[in-house]
Structure formats: C-alpha cells, structure tokens
C-alpha cells in the first residue's frame, strides 16, 4: 500500500514502485549519488575514526561533529594537524576486501543496472552511460567495476582543464553495439590507484566546500548538473546524508527541470532537507529494526522489476 509523507513521496516496496522503476529503466538516463553509506560496513564512517576524533578533542574541538568543529576553527595550524591525522588514519583503512558482504551487495547492484541498461532495446547510445557521482575518496566503486569486467572510466580534478571525457560510451566491435558504460565522478577528490589518500586536492570535512569545489572540481560539478538536467533522467541516492548544500542545490534545480529522484533510506527516521522533501521517491528500508545495505534493497528491486 502506498503512503504519503512530508519527507517525500513515500512508497512501500510495492508492485507499483517496481513497475515504475521498470518503466524508468527502459529508457531513462541513469545516475547515482553515493555517500559514505554506500560502502556499508566495508569502510568506516568518520564516527569510527578514533584517532582523528581524539586529535580534535585534544585541541579543544568537538570531535562528534567534524563539519561544525572545523568550520568554526580559525587556527590554521590546528586545522592542518587534524587534517594530517585524518589522512594518516584514512590510509590505515585501505586494506578493505572487495568480497566483503557489503561490497558484494554494491557489486550486485551495479552489475544489475548494467544488465538492465544493456538489455534495453530502445536506448539511445548516450543513455547507455551510467553516471556515478561519488562524494567518497575511496576507489571501491572503480575497483568493483574493473573486477566485474564492466566498462568504466573515472573523472577527477587532475583530469580537468578541458581534458575531461564526459561523453564516452563503449562500443563492442564484434557485436556492433554500444555497451553499458560507467562514468565515475569524484566530486570531493580521490585516493590514487594504490588506495593512498594525499592531503592535496581533496575537499576535507569542515572546509568551505563550495569554495573548494569551485576552485578545484568545477568541471565535474558543472558536468553533474548538466547530466541531471538531461531530459528523462533518474537519480538513485544511496548512503548520502544530505549535508552538502552545493550538491543539494544541484539536485533541487534538476528536480525542477524534471529529474526523478529515488532515495534509498537506510532507516525510516532518516530525513530529507526542506528544499528536497516532497519531490523525491523514498524507498524505505526493508527491515527498519535490523537495516540491511541499501544497495541490497535496490538490487532486490531490480530483480523484482525483471520478473514483472
């Protein structure tokens, strides 16, 4: 049974939602927005960065909220010391396994979307490109795509200044057909191919994010808005806290231009910002008492959509 909420257009995981999803995937341009929660338990959230939180507390900052604490800290030396502690601790977690249960759920979801897009007969070649906009520094998505044999490429700020290949779509010369192609946009920066994070050229929590984005990642941010404003586009939001105003502004503008947004809730008490609420299709958790990865929820929906 469907129900309305002031937090968005909320559905149960119903046949109507599955049918709507199936119709959308038949021809729409597919986009994802990934926050830290997309990795499930495979990579720690900031709340689990004990050394960094300790470094903040030792310097008189509130370690429970890195965004607010660092944004209000005017001491450049303290900010740099916390930043260095964060980078060091971040790199201590780069031994994640691609076959962790949460990453298997993410893999299943990505492979499922590639299959749906690949089978659709009425797709324009350009709509065989699936855009992944990620706020995460890690290369988990890229590594999963590579390991799964899916065609993909990554856009980071170091490929900026007019050299970003936004419009690539793979082509199979044997079958003479365009193939599903994942384009991964690193909106806040990225580790290198050795999974190592550098203090340079990333947007760190607590910085002037919009200023940093415009300075270093303007082309990727501009491209994101362009993709979401395309006619007949859908955005699937997973693991995102809705805490970045510059991202929320782009989504809000794109919704006004016709973008369809599906938000995969992890817990039912999670809320949308006011400018977004009422214009998003909310997919609730399948088990609010014992939440499962939102990527699993969406992969399950894809399977259901294929059976209707």
């Amino acid at each position: 049974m469907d129900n309305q909420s002031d937090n968005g257009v909320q559905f149960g995981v119903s046949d109507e939602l599955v049918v709507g999803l199936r119709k959308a995937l038949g021809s729409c341009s597919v986009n994802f927005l990934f926050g830290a929660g997309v990795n499930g338990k495979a990579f720690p959230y900031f709340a689990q960065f004990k050394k960094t939180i300790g470094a903040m507390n030792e310097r008189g900052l509130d370690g429970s909220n890195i965004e607010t604490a660092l944004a209000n800290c005017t001491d450049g030396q303290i900010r740099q010391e916390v930043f260095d502690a964060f980078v060091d601790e971040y790199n201590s977690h780069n031994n994640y396994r691609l076959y962790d249960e949460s990453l298997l759920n993410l893999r299943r979801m990505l492979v499922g979307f590639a299959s749906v897009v690949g089978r659709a007969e009425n797709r324009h070649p350009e709509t065989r490109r699936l855009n992944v906009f990620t706020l995460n520094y890690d290369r988990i998505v890229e590594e999963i795509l590579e390991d799964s044999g899916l065609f993909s490429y990554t856009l980071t700020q170091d490929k900026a200044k007019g050299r970003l290949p936004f419009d690539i779509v793979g082509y199979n010369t044997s079958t003479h057909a365009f193939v599903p192609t994942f384009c991964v946009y690193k909106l806040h920066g990225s580790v290198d191919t050795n999974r190592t994070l550098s203090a340079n050229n990333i947007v760190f929590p607590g910085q002037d994010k919009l200023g940093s984005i415009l300075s270093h990642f303007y082309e990727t941010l501009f491209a994101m808005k362009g993709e979401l404003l395309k006619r007949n586009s859908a955005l699937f939001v997973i693991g995102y806290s809705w805490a970045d105003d510059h991202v929320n502004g782009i989504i809000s503008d794109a919704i006004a231009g016709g973008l369809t947004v599906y938000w995969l809730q992890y817990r039912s008490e999670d809320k949308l910002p006011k400018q977004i609420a009422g214009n998003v299709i909310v997919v609730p958790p399948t088990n609010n008492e014992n939440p499962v990865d939102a990527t699993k929820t969406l992969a399950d929906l894809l399977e259901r959509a294929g059976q209707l």
Side-chain angles (χ1 to χ4, degrees):
M1 180 176 180
D2 300 339
N3 57 81
Q4 294 286 331
S5 163
D6 59 6
N7 191 37
V9 182
Q10 184 159 0
F11 290 85
V13 183
S14 63
D15 285 347
E16 183 175 344
L17 173 58
V18 176
V19 170
L21 181 63
R22 184 183 184 189
K23 289 180 179 178
L25 292 176
S27 60
C28 71
S29 294
V30 176
N31 303 272
F32 300 95
L33 175 62
F34 290 163
V38 76
N39 294 329
K41 298 177 181 178
F43 198 90
Y45 297 85
F46 179 76
Q48 298 170 300
F49 278 59
K50 302 302 182 184
K51 292 181 180 178
T52 307
I53 292 172
M56 294 178 67
N57 291 334
E58 289 170 6
R59 290 160 176 78
L61 301 178
D62 179 10
S64 66
N65 191 326
I66 188 171
E67 295 278 1
T68 301
L70 290 180
N72 294 329
C73 178
T74 58
D75 190 316
Q77 181 176 345
I78 289 178
R79 289 177 59 87
Q80 188 60 50
E81 288 171 353
V82 172
F83 193 6
D84 291 342
F86 172 80
V87 170
D88 183 66
E89 187 168 11
Y90 188 97
N91 287 329
S92 72
H93 294 296
N94 66 4
N95 60 344
Y96 55 82
R97 299 175 300 107
L98 289 184
Y99 289 85
D100 176 279
E101 180 181 0
S102 288
L103 299 190
L104 287 175
N105 287 329
L106 176 56
R107 177 191 297 258
R108 178 172 159 244
M109 187 201 77
L110 292 171
V111 170
F113 268 91
S115 178
V116 169
V117 169
R119 291 197 311 266
E121 297 180 356
N122 60 335
R123 281 186 170 273
H124 184 275
E126 187 173 287
T127 63
R128 294 190 185 275
R129 185 174 61 249
L130 300 90
N131 298 305
V132 178
F133 303 102
T134 177
L135 302 170
N136 301 330
Y137 306 136
D138 63 72
R139 293 190 71 255
I140 287 175
V141 169
E142 296 98 301
E143 291 179 20
I144 288 175
L145 293 172
E146 292 165 5
D147 193 65
S148 302
L150 296 171
F151 187 70
S152 66
Y153 60 102
T154 303
L155 301 178
T156 59
Q157 68 87 27
D158 60 351
K159 296 175 182 173
K161 298 181 181 178
R163 296 185 291 112
L164 292 175
F166 293 117
D167 55 356
I168 289 176
V169 179
Y171 186 77
N172 187 323
T173 57
S174 297
T175 61
H176 303 289
F178 290 94
V179 299
T181 301
F182 286 87
C183 179
V184 183
Y185 296 75
K186 308 303 287 280
L187 298 179
H188 283 175
S190 180
V191 300
D192 61 24
T193 53
N194 294 317
R195 299 181 175 178
T196 302
L197 185 67
S198 170
N200 299 323
N201 299 321
I202 66 169
V203 177
F204 184 56
Q207 287 180 339
D208 170 13
K209 286 190 174 180
L210 182 57
S212 297
I213 284 284
L214 292 178
S215 297
H216 300 289
F217 302 93
Y218 174 79
E219 288 187 81
T220 50
L221 187 71
F222 186 78
M224 176 184 179
K225 186 167 187 175
E227 291 294 331
L228 298 186
L229 283 171
K230 286 183 177 178
R231 184 178 179 182
N232 195 26
S233 292
L235 175 68
F236 297 86
V237 180
I238 301 177
Y240 173 52
S241 65
W242 300 97
D244 288 298
D245 290 340
H246 62 280
V247 173
N248 295 349
I250 288 174
I251 294 174
S252 181
D253 289 347
I255 288 173
L259 175 71
T260 299
V261 179
Y262 293 86
W263 176 39
L264 280 293
Q265 272 186 322
Y266 182 64
R267 289 189 174 89
S268 59
E269 57 265 30
D270 296 338
K271 302 299 181 182
L272 289 161
K274 290 182 179 180
Q275 79 230 62
I276 303 293
N279 298 296
V280 169
I281 298 171
V282 180
V283 182
T286 53
N287 186 339
N288 199 50
E289 298 300 319
N290 186 24
V292 300
D293 294 331
T295 49
K296 181 181 185 304
T297 300
L298 187 50
D300 290 344
L301 279 174
L302 285 179
E303 286 193 357
R304 287 184 58 187
Q307 294 170 0
L308 291 177

